[in-house]
Structures are given as C-alpha cells and as structure tokens.
Amino acid sequence: MTSISKTGFSERCHIGIFGRTNAGKSTLLNYLTGLDHAIVSEKEGTTTDPIKKAMEITDFGPVVLVDTAGFADRSDLSEKRIEKSLAEIDKIDIFLYCLSEDDDLKILEKINKPVIFLAMHMDKERGKEILEEFKDKAPIPVDIRNTKARDEIFARIRKIYKKEDLSITKNLVGAHDTVVLVMPQDAASPKDRLIKPQVMTIREIIDKNATAICTNLENFEATIKSLNKIDLIITDSQVFKEVYQKKPEGVLLTSFSVLFSAFKGDINYFVKSAERLDDDIKNILIAEACTHPPIEEDIGTVKIPKLIRKTHPDVNIDFVRGNDPIDYAKYDLIITCGSCMFNRTHVLNRLAKSKEAYVPMTNYGIAIAKLSGILDKITLPDE
C-alpha cells in the first residue's frame, strides 16, 4: 500500500464537509480526524478559507477532508466565504452534509455526487430535532462523545464510493520494459527536485518492474546509443519535436502531459479538440493548475503562445491559474496543463462544463504535438 505521507492531495479521494453556518462542520472535521484542526465556535463565520486535512480511512485508503465555510452566513465576509465553498464543489468526490433546522438544502442542487447526511449535536436536544425533521434523508446521528458515528460514516463511505484503479502509463509499460524519460531542466524547473508528473511516472515504472532511465535533451542521443533496448520514450512536451526528430525509428514516443491527459481527464476529447487549431480561431484560454508566477521560459504563458501565433498571429490568448473562474462561452478553445495539482474529479468537472458550453478543450502535450505536426505520430495510452 502507498504510504499516506507520499500520496499527494490530488491523488486522494476528496471528502467535502458542507452545510449551513453553525451546522457542526468544524466539529465533524475534528471528530473524524481525532484532532483539533478547526476552530469550533458558536459565532458565525469562524471558518473562512476551506480547511484541508489528509488522513487514512482503514480498508479504503488516503483521503482529504475539506471543511468549508457555512452557507447562510450573515457576517460581513459571507459572500466571499460562500464563493470559496462553492469553488470546492468541483473537486469533491463524496459530500458529508451537516443538517440544520429548517435547512432548504438548495446547495445540493449543484451536486451530482454521493451525499451522506448527518445529524450533528446528538448530545443536545437540537440534534434529536434535526434527526426527526430530516428522517427521510436517513441521516447518521453524530454524538461526539463516542466513536460509533465515525465508524458508521467510514462504513457508508466504503459502501457508496468505488475508487478507480488508475494508471499513468496504462498499457504502454509492462514488466521488464526499458523506458527513457527526457526531462529538460530549464529555468522553470524547481531547484534541486523533479516536478510531480516526473516523480509519479518514475515511481509507477519501477512499481511495474520496468526500468526508468532519465536524461535531458542534450544527453538524449548519447543515452539512446548506449542502450540495447528501448520500449518507450516519455518526454517533456516542450521538447516533443526535437525528441521525435532524434529518436530511433520504430520506438514509441509520448509525453508526461499526454499521459496525464488520460490519467486526469478524457484523452479522446482532448485529441479531438486539438483539431480546432486547424481552424481560424479568435479566442484561446490557457488554464494552468499551478499558481507559480510565470517566468521567461514558462511553457504556458510563453512557449505555447509562441507556437500558436506561428499559425494564428492575431489570436487573443487569455490565462487563468489555479481555481480562477472560467467563462467557458467566451473561448473557441481551452488548453489546460497536465493538471497534476488537480484531482481527477476537478478536471472531469471542467471538461463537463466545457462540453456543456460546446467549447473544445485540450491539454499542453496534445496541443504542442498538434502544433508541431506530430500528433498522429506519437503514442497515446488506451483509455
């Protein structure tokens, strides 16, 4: 089993704690984790930004609990707090909803995921009244004086949520394969460490009992000449064309971003959407999950726009980062990064909104391959 300390937030099941102000959400977070992570107070608006806590549920796996600000908050900052709670909805896999008296449950109209209803405050008369009012929702009664409800909540989570057994390299890597990874270390690369998609891919290759050989573009030719067998080359997308031109004939080639387009999203939709780059387009959005400030060699704000403007010199290109809202209808094409910092649920929700607005969406690796004229020559993982 993967160590909990080594499972990133974006690979964990996200469990959101929602409800109206003072419904007992922060109490529930502390109760489930057994620690005081959230401040508990009768005063409205105690929770401002969402609080995230990683933990392990026995016989289920690593999860992230997300405690959100309450709805129907009447404090001065209520609107901003509620906006931040709503922004979390697209990331959540399972909802724990803390019921309140006369709760209209309007927020659930935005939710198309499993919901577990909870009647908090069972150590008080208030909890019994909530349990009776919403008995049609079959809420779990929560009395924080014992662990009975915690066990029942975890059991309900195991029952209603089927985790996907996802692979990054899918059918492209098998036992005893030799995989060459081309990882240029430019000014955008983090100092003294590798980026997350590279680390995750290397680890999976090793777990598959295959061999991972890492190099940069400058040493790529010397590396491949030293090897008797190469089954696959995985490159950083920004040097796709250069690696394609230098690779041995017949050796399969893909990129980290292409692999993550299938790992996080819908690779078939991404590939189909890239055809939009053949058309006359006016507005493109480049959406990046990370919030680091762009630099001179940045792939999203510098390198991809340069490639696009070779064939579309007058196109308008906008940028969003992290959880910035997207006005989907405004664009002819949306290009996302590999989304290693987003969970799969978040990416699929963005895809759904893109399709609903009839706006094509692709990602960095596939867009670069298309703009470089090699999309039909690279290898795509099976869905």
Side-chain angles (χ1 to χ4, degrees):
M1 182 175 69
T2 302
S3 167
I4 182 172
S5 64
K6 295 182 180 179
T7 305
F9 270 27
S10 61
E11 283 67 63
R12 296 170 182 264
C13 174
H14 281 49
I15 301 174
I17 302 174
F18 283 76
R20 297 176 71 176
T21 306
N22 284 346
K25 299 181 298 301
S26 297
T27 298
L28 179 65
L29 175 67
N30 293 340
Y31 174 68
L32 293 178
T33 60
L35 296 168
D36 291 336
H37 296 291
I39 298 172
V40 177
S41 170
E42 294 296 325
K43 184 178 179 181
E44 288 189 358
T46 303
T47 301
T48 54
D49 294 331
I51 298 172
K52 299 181 181 181
K53 173 58 184 171
M55 69 173 291
E56 181 102 9
I57 296 179
T58 305
D59 295 330
F60 182 80
V63 302
V64 177
L65 293 174
V66 184
D67 179 22
T68 63
F71 299 99
D73 178 356
R74 294 184 294 272
S75 63
D76 293 340
L77 296 175
S78 63
E79 189 173 327
K80 290 183 178 179
R81 287 173 175 148
I82 291 170
E83 279 180 8
K84 289 192 175 184
S85 294
L86 291 173
E88 293 297 315
I89 286 178
D90 283 350
K91 307 173 190 174
I92 303 302
D93 299 296
I94 305 169
F95 290 81
L96 302 181
Y97 193 91
C98 298
L99 294 161
S100 294
E101 301 90 332
D102 302 318
D103 203 330
D104 57 18
L105 305 181
K106 279 186 179 178
I107 184 61
L108 298 182
E109 295 172 4
K110 300 177 180 290
I111 294 172
N112 187 26
K113 293 285 180 181
V115 180
I116 299 172
F117 291 98
L118 305 172
M120 302 294 295
H121 315 292
M122 290 306 295
D123 54 332
K124 304 173 184 176
E125 187 62 31
R126 178 185 177 191
K128 297 172 185 174
E129 292 171 357
I130 292 171
L131 188 65
E132 175 61 25
E133 181 180 350
F134 294 98
K135 59 185 176 183
D136 61 314
K137 302 294 183 185
I140 296 173
V142 179
D143 186 336
I144 61 173
R145 294 171 298 184
N146 59 64
T147 62
K148 180 181 177 183
R150 180 164 59 209
D151 296 339
E152 190 173 346
I153 291 168
F154 291 161
R156 188 84 64 89
I157 288 170
R158 294 187 200 99
K159 181 178 180 180
I160 66 175
Y161 185 74
K162 186 179 184 306
K163 295 198 297 179
E164 295 180 273
D165 186 15
L166 296 173
S167 165
I168 299 168
T169 57
K170 290 186 167 50
N171 61 309
L172 300 185
V173 176
H176 313 303
D177 281 353
T178 299
V179 184
V180 175
L181 301 101
V182 185
M183 307 185 309
Q185 303 300 304
D186 57 21
S189 303
K191 183 174 174 54
D192 299 329
R193 60 187 174 89
L194 300 175
I195 61 174
K196 186 176 181 181
Q198 295 169 352
V199 173
M200 292 175 64
T201 304
I202 292 169
R203 175 57 193 261
E204 182 174 293
I205 291 169
I206 294 170
D207 287 345
K208 286 186 170 185
N209 292 321
T211 300
I213 297 173
C214 305
T215 186
N216 56 22
L217 183 62
E218 291 72 25
N219 198 40
F220 175 60
E221 289 182 276
T223 300
I224 58 178
K225 286 177 182 176
S226 70
L227 299 172
N228 295 323
K229 179 175 84 90
I230 303 173
D231 298 289
L232 177 67
I233 298 170
I234 305 173
T235 183
D236 188 296
S237 295
Q238 61 187 306
V239 292
F240 233 149
K241 192 170 185 179
E242 295 91 331
V243 172
Y244 174 76
Q245 291 169 342
K246 295 178 180 180
K247 79 174 186 69
E249 189 175 348
V251 175
L252 303 179
L253 171 67
T254 192
S255 81
F256 294 100
S257 185
V258 169
L259 293 176
F260 269 71
S261 71
F263 181 60
K264 296 283 187 176
D266 182 343
I267 190 170
N268 294 324
Y269 185 72
F270 284 151
V271 171
K272 179 68 176 172
S273 294
E275 295 176 6
R276 193 73 173 88
L277 289 163
D278 291 329
D279 302 333
D280 180 22
I281 47 181
K282 291 181 168 46
N283 292 292
I284 290 177
L285 177 70
I286 294 180
E288 190 159 88
C290 298
T291 55
H292 64 265
I295 62 171
E296 198 171 308
E297 297 181 38
D298 189 72
I299 186 170
T301 57
V302 178
K303 295 182 178 180
I304 291 177
K306 272 186 182 177
L307 279 173
I308 293 172
R309 289 197 167 102
K310 286 181 180 179
T311 52
H312 300 78
D314 299 321
V315 69
N316 172 65
I317 301 176
D318 292 335
F319 304 91
V320 296
R321 290 183 176 277
N323 290 322
D324 290 348
I326 296 176
D327 183 0
Y328 291 86
K330 179 180 175 182
Y331 299 100
D332 303 304
L333 176 66
I334 297 172
I335 304 175
T336 74
C337 65
S339 300
C340 64
M341 300 306 293
F342 285 163
N343 66 341
R344 180 172 167 83
T345 298
H346 193 178
V347 177
L348 291 177
N349 274 314
R350 277 194 166 183
L351 271 166
K353 291 176 181 178
S354 176
K355 292 175 182 178
E356 188 177 325
Y358 300 101
V359 179
M361 178 182 282
T362 189
N363 89 334
Y364 283 11
I366 292 170
I368 290 172
K370 176 67 176 176
L371 292 163
S372 302
I374 61 171
L375 182 55
D376 60 337
K377 300 176 179 66
I378 66 171
T379 301
L380 305 177
D382 287 344
E383 274 285 28

